Amino acid sequence: MPDMPNPVAAFIVGEIRRARGAAGMTQEAFGRGAGFSASHVSAVEGGTRAVTLDFARGADRALSNGGLFERLAMKLGAPSWFLPWLDAERGATQLRYFEPNLIPGLLQVEHYARAVLRTVDSLTDDEVEQRVKARLDRQAILTGERRPQFVAVLDEAALRRTGDGLGGIMAQQVAHLIALAELPHVHVHVVPLGSGLHVGLSGPFALARSAEGVWVGHLENQLGGDVVDKDDDVATLQARWESVRNEALPRRQSIDLLKEVESHHGPQ
């Protein structure tokens, strides 16, 4: 389920914590009723793990309050599928992105980002430009003072995509990837075309590790995306990350392949 925007989330968490205390429930007892571990409850109440609508519904079950917290969440702010992930991304010490079809947003150049966003025909020109700006603004985390270790695994097919005037854009995009991949905190790995079928072809995903050591994931889909923070689900994404990372070339060989692809696309 989508997460709630931060101001709403902070309010809901505070009310859940107060209601739990008023009911005389420990975090363990509350967690049993809500369907979450005591450590998960502690992390949500302590602000190190995102609160989801599933958690609010679990709190309603544990406290038998007729769906109060879910109604508050829906009334006080429309849930946003991306805001909580942006918070995790901004505060991460490590970021891992796997993308089989496109270049990850944090690595996109302006023209590539615009071309990708224009494929959504329901967006107006102004909306496309707003989203391009927001995407480029996000990239500041890779050059700021507290830069995370960033590891991206891309599919070679995404690098070789052509047509509809993409040649020049892709040459610029690949050159940008090469420049980023030479930075000590950025690692770009490419899954070669000859690797065949692998688990990552099921879809893109990302993982972020907070300063407290807590991992959360993000899954994209045609309707938006979901933040993943349940222990078992995060463990599944970690295992899939290891699988796709093992399919990719080492760092230096990946850079060599990027340079070969750049020459294929021709001059910028």
Side-chain angles (χ1 to χ4, degrees), residues 222-245:
Q222 287 287 336
L223 297 178
D226 293 304
V227 173
V228 176
D229 62 358
K230 290 187 176 179
D231 293 343
D232 289 348
D233 293 339
V234 171
T236 296
L237 287 184
Q238 293 279 21
R240 294 197 175 191
W241 168 261
E242 293 300 325
S243 293
V244 297
R245 174 63 188 83

Side-chain angles (χ1 to χ4, degrees), residues 9-228:
F11 174 76
I12 297 291
V13 169
E15 292 303 306
I16 290 174
R17 185 170 53 245
R18 279 187 282 274
R20 179 180 65 77
M25 300 178 72
T26 64
Q27 290 179 337
E28 184 176 0
F30 174 85
R32 284 197 299 269
F36 294 88
S37 66
S39 62
H40 189 117
V41 174
S42 177
V44 170
E45 291 189 355
T48 61
R49 173 165 283 184
V51 59
T52 62
L53 285 178
D54 281 347
F55 189 89
R57 290 168 180 148
D60 287 332
R61 290 192 302 271
L63 297 166
S64 302
N65 60 10
L68 172 64
F69 293 120
E70 181 181 1
R71 290 197 303 274
L72 281 174
M74 299 303 293
K75 183 69 175 178
L76 293 176
S80 167
W81 66 269
F82 202 49
L83 281 175
W85 173 252
L86 289 181
D87 290 336
E89 190 178 71
R90 279 192 292 264
T93 59
Q94 295 180 45
L95 286 168
R96 297 173 176 175
Y97 275 81
F98 169 69
E99 176 57 72
N101 302 307
L102 298 168
I103 309 301
L106 287 177
L107 302 180
Q108 292 177 6
V109 295
E110 180 178 348
H111 293 308
Y112 182 90
R114 185 175 291 110
V116 170
L117 289 167
R118 279 180 174 163
T119 64
V120 184
D121 55 15
S122 61
L123 295 178
T124 67
D125 288 345
D126 285 345
E127 288 171 332
V128 167
E129 292 307 313
Q130 289 170 7
R131 295 194 183 193
V132 169
K133 182 180 184 303
R135 185 162 296 184
L136 297 178
D137 287 347
R138 281 172 56 209
Q139 297 175 2
I141 66 172
L142 295 182
T143 55
E145 292 184 2
R146 300 180 60 188
R147 297 174 294 184
Q149 180 199 58
F150 182 91
V151 186
V153 174
L154 317 177
D155 197 282
E156 183 180 350
L159 301 171
R160 295 190 180 276
R161 196 174 300 279
T162 58
D164 296 329
L166 272 179
I169 293 175
M170 288 307 302
Q172 182 186 39
Q173 177 62 74
V174 175
H176 182 63
L177 288 175
I178 293 170
L180 289 175
E182 297 285 1
L183 297 175
H185 65 289
V186 177
H187 303 251
V188 177
H189 300 275
V190 180
V191 177
L193 290 174
S195 64
L197 296 176
H198 57 84
V199 68
L201 295 176
S202 298
F205 62 89
L207 289 156
R209 184 181 188 273
S210 72
E212 295 76 24
V214 177
W215 285 94
V216 295
H218 185 258
L219 296 174
E220 291 188 24
N221 57 62
Q222 287 287 336
L223 297 178
D226 293 304
V227 173
V228 176

